[in-house]
Amino acid sequence: MHGLTKKAEAPPWAPFEDRRRARDEKRDAVLRMAVQMFLDEGYHRTTLNEVAARLNITKPALYNYFRSKEDILIECYRLGQDMFEANIAAIERESGDGLDKLRRLIRAYAQVMMTDFGMCLVRLDDRELSTEARAGVRKAKRTYDAAFRTAIAQGVADGSIAPRDPKLATLVITGSLNWIGQWYRPDGELSAAALADEFALRLTEGLAARKSRSRNAERGAR
C-alpha cells in the first residue's frame, strides 16, 4: 500500500557501546562466580568446566573473557587491590591527625576484607601465580603496609598516637584485619559497616595518646 511507510529494520549488529557493555557484564559474571568458587572450594579444586557449568555456558565460551584459570585469579586479586588502593588514595587526601587517618584506614581495610575480592587476597595462596604476577600482588600488599606505617608515624609525630614502633603496630593491626577474611559472613549479626567501626575503635584503643582518649570520652559523653 502506498499510504503506509515501511517500518525501519533493526540493524543486524548491536551498537558498539551496547556490545561492549554486554561483554563487560558477562566478564564480571565469570569473575563473581569464580571468586565464590575459589573461596568456597579452593583454587585447585575449582575447574573451568565447573565455573562454566555454574554459569550455564560452555568452557570455550569462558575463553572469550580469560585465557586461563590463572588469569581469572590474577584479576580477582587486582579487583581487591584496586579497592584498597582507592581507599588509601582518598584517605591520604583528607585532613586529620595520624590517629584519625589510621582509624579511617582500618575501617576501609576491614570493609574491603568483607568482600569476596578482598577475601581472596588473604584466603588464596599467591604462590599459585606466576613469578611476575606474584611479585605484583606482593608489591601491592607492601603499599597497604606502608599506608598504615605512615599514619602511625604521623600520629606519633603529631601527638595523637602514643610512641610506638610503626612496623610492629602495623603487623598487629593488619594481622587482625586479615583474619576477618577467614570468618566474616554477610548474614552475621552486625553489618559490615558496624564491624568496621568496631575494629577501628578496638585496634586503636592502645595506640591513642591520652589527649586523644580524653577527646573521645568527651564526645561519647555528649
Side-chain angles (χ1 to χ4, degrees):
M1 297 181 182
H2 297 295
L4 297 177
T5 58
K6 185 178 180 180
K7 183 179 180 181
E9 294 182 0
W13 293 283
F16 175 75
E17 285 298 326
D18 290 347
R19 283 184 281 124
R20 185 172 67 177
R21 188 179 304 111
R23 176 181 173 80
D24 289 346
E25 289 173 354
K26 292 175 182 177
R27 188 175 184 274
D28 289 345
V30 172
L31 283 170
R32 289 194 300 271
M33 180 59 70
V35 74
Q36 289 174 12
M37 295 178 72
F38 290 165
L39 292 171
D40 292 343
E41 302 169 25
Y43 177 74
H44 267 304
R45 295 181 62 183
T46 300
T47 67
L48 291 184
N49 280 329
E50 291 168 335
V51 174
R54 292 277 188 94
L55 291 166
N56 199 29
I57 61 175
T58 64
K59 181 179 177 181
L62 283 179
Y63 292 114
N64 290 322
Y65 312 104
F66 298 98
R67 294 173 300 176
S68 66
K69 189 168 75 167
E70 185 192 43
D71 278 353
I72 296 176
L73 180 59
I74 290 171
E75 186 66 5
C76 289
Y77 276 124
R78 187 191 68 78
L79 289 170
Q81 291 165 354
D82 285 353
M83 286 189 281
F84 281 133
E85 290 170 6
N87 284 321
I88 290 170
I91 291 166
E92 287 178 345
R93 291 193 297 268
E94 295 171 353
S95 60
D97 59 30
L99 181 62
D100 290 332
K101 289 193 174 184
L102 178 60
R103 285 176 172 157
R104 291 174 199 154
L105 283 170
I106 292 172
R107 190 176 294 110
Y109 194 109
Q111 288 190 292
V112 172
M113 198 52 59
M114 295 179 221
T115 68
D116 286 343
F117 295 114
M119 288 180 187
C120 81
L121 289 166
V122 295
R123 285 175 55 181
L124 303 181
D125 191 346
D126 64 18
R127 290 175 294 184
E128 303 289 353
L129 299 173
S130 64
T131 300
E132 182 180 357
R134 182 170 64 249
V137 170
R138 295 186 177 181
K139 180 180 179 181
K141 289 180 180 179
R142 290 194 292 273
T143 300
Y144 320 146
D145 284 352
F148 279 102
R149 292 189 197 187
T150 299
I152 294 168
Q154 178 188 333
V156 172
D158 65 31
S160 61
I161 294 176
R164 294 289 187 272
D165 178 355
K167 179 179 179 180
L168 183 58
T170 294
L171 288 172
V172 172
I173 291 170
T174 55
S176 179
L177 293 173
N178 287 340
W179 193 246
I180 293 172
Q182 303 291 340
W183 58 258
Y184 173 74
R185 296 292 179 273
D187 57 355
E189 294 182 4
L190 294 178
S191 67
L195 279 171
D197 287 342
E198 189 69 12
F199 269 81
L201 176 62
R202 299 303 175 193
L203 290 177
T204 57
E205 282 181 326
L207 292 174
R210 287 188 175 182
K211 68 176 184 179
S212 297
R213 294 175 194 167
S214 299
R215 183 183 62 191
N216 288 339
E218 289 174 2
R219 288 175 179 172
R222 290 174 186 171

